[in-house]
Amino acid sequence: MATAVGELRTRFARRHVLGLEDWTREEILAVLDLASEVKRAGLRPPEGLNLSGRALCTAFFEPSTRTRLSFEGAAKILGMRTGDLSVEASSVKKGESLKDTILTLEAMGFDVIVLRHRSAGAPHLAARWARKAHIVNGGDGCHEHPTQGLLDAFTMRERTGGFEGLKVAIVGDILHSRVARSNLWALLKLGAEVVFCGPPTLCPKSLEALGAKVTHSLEEALSVADVVNVLRIQRERQQAGLIPSLKEYHREYAITSRRLARHPNVKLVMHPGPMNRGVEIDPEVADDERICSVTEQVTNGLAVRVALLALLLSGGEGE
Ligand code: NCD
């Protein structure tokens, strides 16, 4: 592999991965560049990196398919030992606190703990309690999902060539989406423009304070976008009544092939998954790999997580 891990490590010196809001453009690019090399090498670990004595545990207090399995897969690619705290079958059910759970996992020798939690800020607390483990945020409430932001940026760069002048529309339930926030921080730092689009109840004008444009008109968003990132309606996080009905939402905001045909400027449709087919995205768009990268994003997620773990673990003791 072209880039020595030690060289990239000088561009990335974080102990924890909590959110992209305070990351620099350089740090984001360090992960994307190494991920490109990992992908090109057929998802093989960076040369000269031996992490066989290290261990990663996933601790997901909310459901997950992609994030949990790809962290486990990435750790295995790197030769690490893996564990999974099955929350439902764990002592969390007996009332064990998050702090004691983190300290227990650490005492078991896990170097990396990937935490997903319904409470925004839970990984930040875990990072304060952890004595030497690296805490990685696998999604905290409506706040951030940094590795999704990184893999989405990776996919956009690969598909479009770069971020300068790139216009990205993020469509859907922005209010409850940690993916929207992590995408926004990454994209603004990389030089792209972001338009949030959705109904006023799920995409209020106040979000403009974050640095994106806000529109409630899908036609307007599609008419400027090179890339559309489609988000799921987060029914589990909303109070009732924020949208009149899923049918109505589909009529106003679904990404359909008819709509895309009117906007040939849109080159890429993305979705972090899980999709509600027939609600925010039509099956014929979702299944068209020429325009939609939903499964490619999953593969890219592996490369990005291999790169991130390599960077996190290549500097500390034991390496
Ligand atoms: C997202 C999540 O859990 O934040 N999914 C993912 O990690 N790929 C998005 C979602 O739940 O809609």
Side-chain angles (χ1 to χ4, degrees):
M1 217 170 275
T3 314
V5 172
E7 181 197 324
L8 282 171
R9 184 70 201 178
T10 61
R11 294 166 64 188
F12 186 93
R14 280 181 187 269
R15 174 167 156 212
H16 305 292
V17 177
L18 303 176
L20 299 181
E21 186 173 0
D22 68 345
W23 278 38
T24 64
R25 173 191 164 86
E26 262 298 289
E27 287 174 305
I28 296 171
L29 288 173
V31 178
L32 302 196
D33 292 348
L34 187 59
S36 293
E37 293 184 19
V38 168
K39 189 175 177 184
R40 231 177 293 130
L43 289 180
R44 271 198 289 278
E47 232 167 75
L49 181 70
N50 178 10
L51 297 179
S52 59
R54 314 299 286 274
L56 173 145
C57 188
T58 47
F60 278 42
F61 292 71
E62 280 193 338
S64 168
T65 300
R66 283 151 282 263
T67 308
R68 190 173 55 77
L69 285 175
S70 67
F71 267 110
E72 192 185 312
K76 290 207 162 114
I77 287 172
L78 290 162
M80 297 170 70
R81 174 166 69 87
T82 60
D84 175 49
L85 176 80
S86 312
V87 171
E88 288 303 312
S90 74
S91 291
V92 170
K93 287 284 141 189
K94 300 180 192 163
E96 186 157 48
S97 69
L98 181 61
K99 177 172 180 173
D100 287 329
T101 304
I102 296 294
L103 294 179
T104 302
L105 295 179
E106 218 179 25
M108 244 165 244
F110 289 109
D111 306 277
V112 180
I113 300 168
V114 185
L115 179 66
R116 171 170 286 191
H117 204 280
R118 68 187 168 283
S119 302
H124 301 68
L125 282 175
R128 289 215 320 249
W129 297 323
R131 293 171 185 141
K132 47 186 230 294
H134 302 265
I135 303 294
V136 178
N137 182 357
D140 62 328
C142 308
H143 181 227
E144 279 230 38
H145 189 348
T147 56
Q148 186 71 42
L150 291 168
L151 79 90
D152 287 345
F154 179 89
T155 305
M156 287 181 216
R157 183 171 81 166
E158 221 182 37
R159 283 282 201 123
T160 67
F163 298 102
E164 234 30 76
L166 190 74
K167 295 189 176 58
V168 180
I170 304 182
V171 179
D173 183 357
I174 312 293
L175 194 62
H176 301 96
S177 174
R178 51 198 179 205
V179 176
R181 281 166 188 71
S182 291
N183 264 251
L184 176 76
W185 302 130
L187 290 168
L188 292 182
K189 282 167 191 174
L190 293 166
E193 283 172 42
V194 177
V195 183
F196 285 151
C197 174
T201 45
L202 299 180
C203 183
K205 277 276 178 198
S206 56
L207 289 170
E208 284 192 337
L210 302 180
K213 292 203 181 91
V214 169
T215 175
H216 308 309
S217 153
L218 182 59
E219 282 306 305
E220 193 184 319
L222 292 183
S223 66
V224 297
D226 303 297
V227 176
V228 181
N229 200 355
V230 190
L231 302 178
R232 182 174 68 89
I233 300 290
Q234 309 251 320
R235 275 176 279 189
E236 74 276 23
R237 293 190 212 286
Q238 341 183 319
Q239 316 106 274
L242 287 182
I243 49 171
S245 72
L246 293 180
K247 216 168 133 194
E248 201 148 330
Y249 182 84
H250 178 268
R251 196 170 61 229
E252 294 292 324
Y253 291 103
I255 304 301
T256 64
S257 32
R258 272 182 60 191
R259 284 200 164 116
L260 290 176
R262 285 203 298 276
H263 300 286
N265 50 296
V266 176
K267 296 290 184 299
L268 177 63
V269 174
M270 304 177 64
H271 196 304
M275 291 186 281
N276 292 307
R277 285 170 180 260
V279 179
E280 71 267 3
I281 188 166
D282 271 5
E284 47 184 346
V285 177
D287 292 332
D288 183 350
E289 290 183 3
R290 286 165 311 176
I291 181 108
C292 182
S293 60
V294 62
T295 52
E296 196 179 311
Q297 284 167 258
V298 177
T299 311
N300 290 342
L302 260 179
V304 164
R305 289 176 178 117
V306 167
L308 184 72
L309 292 174
L311 289 167
L312 274 183
L313 294 172
S314 60
E317 54 303 51
E319 188 50 46

